[in-house]
Amino acid sequence: MIDQKALAYVNLYAVLGALENLCELVPEASAALTNKKPLSIGFEVKGGPSATITFANGKCRMEQGCSKCNVKLPFSSCEKFNGLIDGTVTPIPSKGFTHIGFLLKDFTKLTDLLNKYLRPSDEDLKDPDIFRINTEMTLNVIGVAIAQLGNQDEICKFSAAHIVDGSVMIAIKDGPAVEIIAKNHRLLCLKKRPEKYRCSMIFDSYQTANDLFGGKVNALACIGTGKVEMHGLMAMLDNVNRILDRVAIYLA
Amino acid sequence: MSDNFDPKVKKFTCYKTTKSDEWYARAAKVIPSGVYGHLGPAEGLFTPVNRWPRFSDKAQGSYFWDVDGNKYVDYMCAYGPNVLGYNDPDVDAAALAQAKLGNCTTSPNKIMVECAELLVDTVNCADWAFFAKNGNDATQGAILTARAHTHKKKLIFFNGFYHGVSPIVQKIDYPGVLPEDVANNIYVDWDDIATLRKIVAEDNDIAAVIAQPYDHGNFYDNKYPADGFWQDVRKLCTDNGIVLIVDDVRAGFRLDIAGSDHYFGFEADIICFCKALANGWNMSAFCGKEFLKGAASSLSYTGSYWMSAIPFAACIACINKMKKLDTPKLFRELGTQLTDGLKAAAANNGFNLVVSGAPALFYLRIANDDSLMLHQEWIAECVNRGVFLASHHNHFINASLTSDDIKRSIEICEEAFKVVKKNHPELG
């Protein structure tokens, strides 16, 4: 049921892409990068995605492609890259051996923090800061994963084929939001609140969002109780939600 | 004056749905999603859900009362089964008389034969009738019959279709559906006869074309077929040995007592009925032409309650009463009266209300924005004052609806337009 190529897109752009948010939200992550020379790591997956993550001034930014990077990590297949994410594959750089220290020390620290905040223990979630950061980061991961699966997964492409042009907002009330932009049935996620949108799904609180993301409550029952509100083009939202169902399978 | 009209301020009071909320919370603990399926709040038809009642207490004629005691004139009619009015005395008397004789018995009651004879006499294309319980049973039975007859496997659907809940009529991205379940499905746009011809020319493994009589899908304006479309489809199917199935579950008996294919001037090979058959008593049927009777006979297809007698008695009374009242004509007149009034009320307040589909099954959309949010706000204000509508589904007229009901509905809906206008000064 899981396509390795689609999973590679999710792992690179949604999961590793969450490093951007980590550096914004977690001071410890930002501190790990301060007073360091700017550095970029390229991920090149044969038959799959490629992207460059640039670390500079305590921040991190992901861009597509890896023609300009200090360290390049090539992967011979999507399966190999997915192995990096689940910890079964150790990457070997093809470029940038002098920066191996950053890779082994600083980058590893960041990915450990990423894991801590994206997959916190129940005990960790009792910490209000971890709870808030986990909720916000997960919202972003889910948003990007929706876009990637809508473009890559065969079943999700069927859903995307029924999505009209325009923006979908997924948001936490009085909190963060993501924008899924559909154009010619291709999807793009921007990690921001859209100015204009054709439909929206709004969680009434961080608690509702976190419970839903963690699979602790039923989404349809939340719609029935009003904890999740939907507005606008329901057919558009319905198809986004069908992709969202499969995001849970990919991120499990 | 009516029960939710406040003469001091000359406006309709807004309902509270506190008890509905409480019942829903109880339901969500023991029933998946509280109320699953088309009657539930998660289908995108109640926006926002807290303006809709979730549970009813009683119903009569064109009205139902929710568990908070709020009274609604009901334009959803239980999503179609209420065709003569809730608790119709003639239908219920027939059903209760049959109940005293027997219902679910070892040998089916003879009334099943009388019901089949009535359907064959009433429905233009019918030479036989096969009974079941829900619309999905009927469409599934029709597809099985087509495959049994043709020994072919592929099915052609028109995009926007809804033909029930069996895996083969769902879509590949629906939970629990496998790619293999829908691997033999071909999808064509409504009215696209050119593509349909091309597909049929290139594929000789097509068992059936299945379609609603007109495109009465949810979330978009409903569309009648172009002139000659059905006649072209009919000829294409006949020339290529493809079974033409009309899913008349939703529109059946509301456009034409003889079937919606008759209304549009062609003959289906199989036609499926459910909603309006028995005024809420549970049964469905698919009827077909003589050449398919053997295939229908061959099916391994049955159910514990499919030959229960009470619904047959109700069905006979319901069909006879629909004929006596000429309900298609009545629905056309009532639906037109209502929708003309709604359009005028919209225009009075600066809204462009688009009405589509048959007047008996009218579909509404405010076209002032491209997100349907204004429409959702307006519908919610209507529901909250006692006119039960769904945000993005066709509605239904029933025979007990009166001109006074319609007049009051239009007054409420006009007040709802005024509220939305006031909430959106940017509309000017």
Side-chain angles (χ1 to χ4, degrees), chain B residues 193 197 200 228-242 244 266-267:
Chain B
I193 189 69
R197 282 198 179 108
V200 170
F229 172 73
W230 272 124
Q231 288 67 31
D232 288 345
V233 174
R234 173 68 274 177
K235 185 172 187 314
L236 192 66
C237 289
T238 303
D239 291 350
N240 292 277
I242 296 167
L244 178 54
F266 72 103
E267 279 193 17

Side-chain angles (χ1 to χ4, degrees), chain B residues 255-268:
Chain B
L255 301 182
D256 189 327
I257 293 288
S260 297
D261 56 343
H262 184 253
Y263 181 80
F264 286 110
F266 72 103
E267 279 193 17

Side-chain angles (χ1 to χ4, degrees), chain A residues 8 16 19 25 28 61 66 69 122 126 160 208 252:
Chain A
L16 282 185
L19 285 168
L25 296 167
E28 192 182 352
R61 179 174 166 75
C66 56
C69 58
D122 287 345
K126 291 176 185 169
T208 296

Side-chain angles (χ1 to χ4, degrees), chain B residues 201-422:
Chain B
E202 293 171 356
D203 195 326
N204 64 0
D205 201 15
I206 297 166
V209 170
I210 181 167
Q212 296 148 347
Y214 72 93
D215 186 3
H216 50 53
N218 301 341
F219 304 111
Y220 54 84
D221 294 349
N222 290 181
K223 284 170 274 188
Y224 266 24
D227 286 346
F229 172 73
W230 272 124
Q231 288 67 31
D232 288 345
V233 174
R234 173 68 274 177
K235 185 172 187 314
L236 192 66
C237 289
T238 303
D239 291 350
N240 292 277
I242 296 167
V243 175
L244 178 54
I245 301 168
V246 168
D247 176 353
D248 217 9
V249 167
R250 199 181 292 191
F253 302 107
R254 280 189 158 89
L255 301 182
D256 189 327
I257 293 288
S260 297
D261 56 343
H262 184 253
Y263 181 80
F264 286 110
F266 72 103
E267 279 193 17
D269 294 322
I270 303 177
I271 190 164
C272 306
F273 297 112
C274 180
K275 293 180 184 296
L277 265 181
N279 205 49
W281 294 91
N282 51 346
M283 67 176 289
S284 65
F286 59 102
C287 302
K289 294 197 169 194
E290 185 63 32
F291 77 94
L292 291 166
K293 197 171 167 192
S297 303
S298 74
L299 301 183
S300 176
Y301 201 56
T302 185
S304 297
Y305 301 99
W306 287 13
M307 295 183 189
S308 297
I310 291 175
F312 293 139
C315 179
I316 291 168
C318 184
I319 289 176
N320 286 333
K321 190 161 183 178
M322 286 193 292
K323 285 181 177 176
K324 189 177 163 192
L325 293 174
D326 191 0
T327 44
K329 179 171 177 282
L330 180 66
F331 293 160
R332 201 159 46 247
E333 290 167 357
L334 292 171
T336 302
Q337 187 186 340
L338 176 69
T339 52
D340 283 353
L342 294 178
K343 279 193 282 191
N348 291 343
N349 292 279
F351 291 98
N352 175 19
L353 182 68
V354 176
V355 178
S356 58
L361 302 102
F362 62 97
Y363 184 90
L364 303 174
R365 175 177 65 92
I366 291 179
N368 294 58
D369 64 356
D370 71 349
S371 70
L372 300 177
M373 290 188 201
L374 286 172
H375 180 77
Q376 288 161 1
E377 286 182 41
W378 173 64
I379 294 280
E381 297 295 344
C382 295
V383 174
N384 204 219
R385 287 167 174 77
V387 176
F388 194 95
L389 303 165
S391 304
H392 309 294
H393 194 286
N394 76 273
H395 299 87
F396 297 91
I397 299 290
N398 83 88
S400 73
L401 191 71
T402 66
S403 288
D404 282 348
D405 294 330
I406 290 174
K407 189 177 168 211
R408 175 181 155 85
S409 300
I410 294 168
E411 286 172 1
I412 290 175
C413 293
E414 175 138 27
E415 184 172 297
F417 277 124
K418 290 182 193 305
V419 171
V420 177
K421 187 180 180 186
K422 190 179 171 191

Side-chain angles (χ1 to χ4, degrees), chain A residues 155 158-159 162 196-199 218 220-221 223-226 229-235 239 242 245, chain B residues 24 28 33 41-42 44 47-49 54 159 171-175 179 187 219 370-373 376 392:
Chain A
I155 292 175
F158 180 89
S159 308
H162 293 84
K196 194 169 182 286
Y197 49 89
R198 300 189 78 185
C199 60
N218 176 266
L220 296 181
I223 292 168
T225 56
E229 275 200 12
M230 302 192 297
H231 294 277
L233 293 183
M234 288 297 157
N239 282 295
R242 296 200 183 284
D245 281 345
Chain B
Y24 186 80
S33 74
T47 309
V49 291
R54 257 57 61 75
N159 286 320
K171 290 162 192 154
I172 194 170
D173 56 348
Y174 283 27
Y187 307 108
F219 304 111
D370 71 349
S371 70
L372 300 177
M373 290 188 201
Q376 288 161 1
H392 309 294

Side-chain angles (χ1 to χ4, degrees), chain B residues 20 38 56 61 64 80 88 99 136 170 172 183 246 283 311 313 325 328 343 371 425:
Chain B
S20 257
H38 64 297
S56 69
F64 80 89
D88 179 80
N136 181 73
Q170 295 202 41
I172 194 170
V246 168
M283 67 176 289
L325 293 174
K343 279 193 282 191
S371 70

